Amino acid sequence: MNKKHFTKLLLILILIPAGLFAQGINWDTDGTSYTQLEGSQISRVSLPSLQKTTIVTADLLIPKGQTKALAIRSYAFSEDAKKVLIYTNSKRVWRQDTRGDYWVLNLATKELKQLGKTMPESSMMFAKFSPDGSKVAYVSKHNIYVEDLATNKIKALTKDGTTKLINGTFDWVYEEEFDCRDGFRWSPDSKSVAYWQIDANTIRDYFMLNTTDSTYSQIIPVEYPKVGEKPSACKVGVVDIATAKTIWMKVPGESTNNYIPKMEWAGNSSEIIIQQLPRKQNETKLMLCNIKTGEAKTFYSESDKAWVNVNNRGGESVGWDWLKNGKDFIWQSEKDGWNHLYIVGKDGKEKLITVGDYDVINLLAFDETSNIIYFTASPENATQQYLYKTTLDGKGKAERVSPLNQAGTHSYNVSPTGKFAQHRFTSSVVSPVSEMISLPDHKPFNESESVNAKIAKQKPRKNKVEFLKIKTEDNITVDAWMVKPYDFDSTKKYPIVFMVYTEPASATVKDTYSAGSNGLYSGDMAKDGYIYVSIDGRGTPSPKGREWRKAIYRKIGQINIRDQAMAAKELLKNKYIDPTRVAVHGWSGGGSTTLNLLFQYPEIYQTGIAVAAVANQLSYDNIYQERYMGIPQENREDFINGSPITYAKNLKGNLLYIHGTGDDNVHYQNAEQLVNELIKYNKQFQFMAYPNRSHGIYEGEGTRLHLNTLFTNYLKQYCPPGGR
């Protein structure tokens, strides 16, 4: 169940290290210009003129004694814009390449210096300039260091870091399920660093085996807290740069029974703000902590019968949206049944900003001077996304800013002042296009390079995607998309293939250009004669209100499976669908769904292809599974009732199961447990194990071609294409 969009479906995308931009635009502080990476150089673009200036040329990035410029993975400027921090030689850590080497380029002197020369190659993480630009702090081998840029002196701020005691970054499960990676924050006055410490010594290792890279097998340990196990101990400290002395925050509660997924300086250099969740993740507490005494005071809390959200903006645990010079901040909550924005003060008082029966999808930007806040929402169509604005004082009404003639999915990278934005647009009929615009009028800088102009030049899409609303016999209306064969003849009967996920981590029915596509199929499904469908049932993170999203609590593998099956049952009433050729496929959580559908509803689905599935919910990690299912010591029956392995004995159709033996996320034990259960009941099936491949199954020469060929051949054999 990997996330991050790529969502939890395929997980092959390498993402950007926290706080740095590898591609796209990086706004300057004043919001009137941005920088961007162009090959081995960095350019600045002024707005609204779009005048481009090269500020870092490739020749400035050639280290002494070498002939090639550094390959920039990402970069960041000091606050005074006089220095550039270059991230290069990056290596993957779990999901992202967050470990590498760092260099600093002084733009005035043109001097290029490598940081952390005494550190192992590609061992440094999350390097950041101090606010005054005099130092850089970074993590290496689970310790935090600070380097003086004038003297090049390196000072260890922590010394107790080990493979299990982690300073300044996180263990596997915090990264996977809370998107926590960058684990330290500079104080505004550059005198202190606040950081997380994760003690994973109590977390048992899950041992994976590498049996192909040497004659004798190698053991690969991963500290992985299975569902039902207590969390790793977590605490937050503030270390003084001058003395390297840490003051630990006196956060109440048992450290191995709570989580701290979010922390930041509280708008000043004397206190930090912490978000704490209990193990069940059904309550959030916000605390202000005095960095001198460590005293922690809870000033705001809220709870939910299901779970509360972590409230990370942009998918990372970085940043806090402060107002009034650090007195108030913007907070998201579903407490009134919809995901809304609030202003919360340090005194705990709150005020609703967005009002109405709709969900805020993402907070984008705000400007106190103009009393405007920007966010994405789609009150009328949960498969789409648009830019909205309202007033920060909560007195205004939500107004759509995205153009009325652009129906689909809009995303924005808004400048710090909210005056400009990079606008991206896509839909099922429009491949992704972008433009630079001014706000709030949403006017493109250059009409000839506008989204509308680019859309006009695109050729019509071959495989038309139809969006449907399906009402099931349970009186539940779900969204779906469908792609029919090119030569569709309503008098013929066609096979239907369902692509599924349908868990809280991701929605699949979105009005984007990727709708209707199958990256696992070699060829064109519509051309070959398949009807291709995806459905989002209850529990998916669609903007349909709290009740829709949290109906799945303690019901994963049950309520979401029934919604899929009942919607499929309605579709099968169409005479042009062949009820004897019904297939389903999915990856990760979608693999689990595939198995459950094939086992629980064999009268509907005859063929299934499941990849990297959680066959037994009791084998997955504690943060994800306990958030949505509770703690198994209290309601074990829900885990059993939702697990595909419970229903494996019901298999009647054709199953192809695929898993990587090096999957650190959904462990290979899921495959072997499922295989044993199918053997027990003499259920015949096909099985493909990919040696040492991770959850994304992409490592190794020829892997993706082999997987696609396997998928396609199996589908064609057991669910033959074409109208009859």
Side-chain angles (χ1 to χ4, degrees):
M1 298 157 173
N2 210 349
K3 356 177 162 15
K4 208 136 188 120
H5 316 125
F6 237 41
T7 72
K8 280 195 165 190
L9 297 176
L10 291 181
L11 304 167
I12 309 171
L13 189 61
I14 296 177
L15 298 177
I16 302 167
L20 300 175
F21 294 84
Q23 297 177 351
I25 65 174
N26 193 352
W27 289 104
D28 289 327
T29 306
D30 64 4
T32 62
S33 59
Y34 63 85
T35 59
Q36 60 187 9
L37 182 62
E38 297 180 327
S40 295
Q41 65 183 29
I42 301 172
S43 299
R44 173 170 282 116
V45 179
S46 299
L47 303 178
S49 66
L50 293 177
Q51 182 178 351
K52 184 188 296 185
T53 305
T54 301
I55 53 177
V56 177
T57 56
D59 61 290
L60 294 177
L61 298 177
I62 302 175
K64 289 181 179 180
Q66 299 184 26
T67 57
K68 292 184 178 180
L70 298 172
I72 305 175
R73 177 64 178 88
S74 56
Y75 67 92
F77 284 88
S78 57
E79 285 192 12
D80 61 9
K82 294 180 179 180
K83 303 182 188 76
V84 188
L85 186 63
I86 304 295
Y87 177 54
T88 186
N89 199 23
S90 60
K91 305 295 181 184
R92 179 179 167 194
V93 179
W94 307 127
R95 299 289 160 257
Q96 300 186 11
D97 54 337
T98 51
R99 181 167 55 85
D101 297 325
Y102 286 89
W103 298 68
V104 170
L105 174 65
N106 187 311
L107 294 177
T109 65
K110 312 301 182 187
E111 182 183 15
L112 179 67
K113 293 196 298 187
Q114 183 177 2
L115 299 177
K117 288 185 178 181
T118 60
M119 304 296 167
E121 183 181 8
S122 294
S123 71
M124 298 165 64
M125 306 173 72
F126 315 118
K128 292 186 284 289
F129 283 115
S130 58
D132 65 10
S134 67
K135 300 176 180 66
V136 171
Y138 46 80
V139 173
S140 181
K141 296 293 184 180
H142 294 167
N143 277 312
I144 305 172
Y145 298 85
V146 63
E147 186 163 344
D148 189 291
L149 296 180
T151 65
N152 299 325
K153 183 179 179 181
I154 300 173
K155 184 176 185 177
L157 298 181
T158 67
K159 297 180 180 180
D160 55 355
T162 66
T163 56
K164 290 284 192 176
L165 190 66
I166 304 167
N167 296 300
T169 184
F170 297 89
D171 60 356
W172 184 93
V173 73
Y174 258 81
E175 175 173 332
E176 176 67 20
E177 305 302 355
F178 285 142
D179 290 313
C180 290
R181 295 173 180 84
D182 180 352
F184 73 91
R185 310 282 184 267
W186 273 107
S187 64
D189 63 7
S190 303
K191 294 180 179 180
S192 304
V193 166
Y195 67 98
W196 277 267
Q197 184 184 84
I198 304 293
D199 186 350
N201 280 292
T202 60
I203 303 302
R204 295 179 61 183
D205 286 331
Y206 180 84
F207 296 111
M208 300 189 300
L209 282 179
N210 179 340
T211 61
T212 62
D213 290 346
S214 60
T215 303
Y216 286 88
S217 60
Q218 301 173 45
I219 296 174
I220 304 173
V222 180
E223 66 262 5
Y224 189 107
K226 295 282 188 176
V227 61
E229 299 289 330
K230 281 190 173 185
S232 51
C234 175
K235 59 182 180 180
V236 172
V238 175
V239 58
D240 179 78
I241 301 300
T243 64
K245 180 182 178 182
T246 293
I247 300 295
W248 296 107
M249 302 301 104
K250 300 173 184 177
V251 178
E254 185 183 358
S255 62
T256 57
N257 222 25
N258 290 280
Y259 298 105
I260 302 177
K262 195 170 173 66
M263 176 272 288
E264 190 57 77
W265 288 89
N268 56 61
S269 295
S270 62
E271 59 184 358
I272 58 174
I273 187 168
I274 285 175
Q275 180 184 17
Q276 183 193 58
L277 305 179
R279 181 176 169 184
K280 285 188 176 182
Q281 302 172 65
N282 58 359
E283 182 182 17
T284 187
K285 291 182 180 179
L286 299 185
M287 304 175 190
L288 288 170
C289 303
N290 184 301
I291 70 164
K292 298 295 184 183
T293 65
E295 294 299 325
K297 179 182 178 182
T298 300
F299 68 94
Y300 180 84
S301 65
E302 65 175 88
S303 59
D304 192 290
K305 292 180 180 178
W307 69 87
V308 293
N309 295 318
V310 173
N311 223 322
N312 284 347
R313 181 152 73 98
E316 291 284 357
S317 60
V318 178
W320 214 280
D321 297 305
W322 292 103
L323 298 165
K324 296 181 181 178
N325 294 318
K327 294 181 179 180
D328 299 339
F329 56 89
I330 298 172
W331 192 249
Q332 295 188 46
S333 172
E334 295 177 310
K335 63 171 60 181
D336 72 349
W338 300 91
N339 190 40
H340 277 310
L341 301 177
Y342 294 78
I343 291 178
V344 176
K346 288 182 178 179
D347 57 2
K349 295 180 180 179
E350 64 179 37
K351 178 170 65 175
L352 180 64
I353 303 175
T354 54
V355 181
D357 293 344
Y358 68 90
D359 283 309
V360 170
I361 299 173
N362 286 308
L363 166 63
L364 296 182
F366 54 90
D367 180 28
E368 290 185 81
T369 302
S370 58
N371 193 32
I372 292 178
I373 186 166
Y374 291 102
F375 56 93
T376 51
S378 189
E380 298 174 359
N381 188 329
T383 71
Q384 299 174 338
Q385 179 173 288
Y386 300 95
L387 179 65
Y388 277 77
K389 69 171 184 175
T390 191
T391 57
L392 263 175
D393 58 18
K395 298 179 180 179
K397 293 183 178 180
E399 301 177 41
R400 176 169 159 173
V401 181
S402 297
L404 295 176
N405 69 328
Q406 295 172 5
T409 299
H410 298 254
S411 58
Y412 297 82
N413 185 349
V414 183
S415 68
T417 58
K419 304 299 182 185
F420 306 109
Q422 182 184 48
H423 168 222
R424 299 180 187 275
F425 172 68
T426 184
S427 73
S428 63
V429 295
V430 176
S431 62
V433 288
S434 65
E435 64 185 353
M436 295 301 300
I437 62 170
S438 57
L439 290 175
D441 58 8
H442 208 287
K443 184 178 180 180
F445 290 168
N446 187 336
E447 288 291 348
S448 63
E449 293 295 321
S450 68
V451 162
N452 282 332
K454 292 173 180 176
I455 293 174
K457 296 177 182 178
Q458 291 189 3
K459 294 181 180 180
R461 182 174 180 171
K462 286 185 178 180
N463 51 335
K464 182 181 178 182
V465 181
E466 301 175 40
F467 284 86
L468 315 170
K469 288 191 177 296
I470 305 169
K471 189 172 183 178
T472 72
E473 63 184 50
D474 299 325
N475 200 32
I476 302 298
T477 300
V478 300
D479 285 309
W481 53 247
M482 173 188 288
V483 178
K484 294 176 181 175
Y486 295 149
D487 58 354
F488 178 75
D489 182 343
S490 62
T491 65
K492 294 182 178 181
K493 290 184 178 293
Y494 295 89
I496 186 168
V497 180
F498 293 91
M499 186 273 283
V500 295
Y501 184 77
T502 200
E503 286 198 8
S506 179
T508 59
V509 184
K510 297 182 179 181
D511 192 356
T512 67
Y513 204 65
S514 62
S517 300
N518 184 352
L520 286 173
Y521 189 84
S522 295
D524 188 326
M525 293 184 71
K527 182 179 180 180
D528 290 345
Y530 285 107
I531 294 175
Y532 195 38
V533 175
S534 191
I535 299 165
D536 272 343
R538 285 173 291 176
T540 51
S542 300
K544 293 183 174 183
R546 179 206 171 277
E547 294 305 314
W548 173 271
R549 291 186 290 274
K550 295 183 177 177
I552 201 171
Y553 184 61
R554 292 176 55 171
K555 300 290 184 182
I556 291 179
Q558 297 182 69
I559 194 172
N560 56 328
I561 303 306
R562 180 167 177 83
D563 280 357
Q564 289 284 328
M566 294 304 98
K569 185 177 178 181
E570 292 300 315
L571 285 178
L572 290 175
K573 292 178 180 179
N574 291 295
K575 294 183 179 180
Y576 56 78
I577 295 177
D578 187 346
T580 68
R581 289 182 290 165
V582 180
V584 58
H585 79 91
W587 196 304
S588 192
S592 308
T593 299
T594 297
L595 294 174
N596 265 320
L597 290 171
L598 203 62
F599 299 161
Q600 292 188 42
Y601 294 92
E603 72 279 10
I604 296 177
Y605 305 91
Q606 293 90 42
T607 299
I609 304 175
V611 186
V614 176
N616 182 355
Q617 289 187 24
L618 294 171
S619 75
Y620 199 54
D621 76 64
N622 57 0
I623 293 182
Y624 183 92
Q625 213 66 51
E626 292 181 2
R627 177 190 301 154
Y628 303 123
M629 291 294 292
I631 298 176
Q633 286 88 337
E634 299 177 359
N635 57 301
R636 188 180 180 86
E637 67 279 4
D638 292 331
F639 293 81
I640 295 172
N641 292 337
S643 293
I645 197 171
T646 302
Y647 309 98
K649 59 188 176 185
N650 299 328
L651 175 64
K652 294 180 180 179
N654 314 298
L655 169 63
L656 170 61
Y657 187 78
I658 301 166
H659 213 122
T661 69
D663 193 335
D664 61 274
N665 185 357
V666 180
H667 296 148
Y668 184 64
Q669 71 178 163
N670 283 272
E672 295 196 334
Q673 288 180 8
L674 178 65
V675 167
N676 271 341
E677 195 71 5
L678 291 167
I679 291 171
K680 177 181 177 181
Y681 292 100
N682 192 26
K683 298 298 179 178
Q684 301 301 308
F685 62 101
Q686 292 192 28
F687 177 52
M688 179 65 200
Y690 282 92
N692 285 339
R693 271 63 168 193
S694 66
H695 194 56
I697 310 183
Y698 62 88
E699 303 90 345
E701 186 175 357
T703 298
R704 183 54 60 166
L705 176 60
H706 187 278
L707 177 58
N708 286 14
T709 304
L710 175 68
F711 178 96
T712 306
N713 290 347
Y714 191 87
L715 185 64
K716 287 183 175 180
Q717 179 179 354
Y718 292 98
C719 185
R724 294 176 180 174

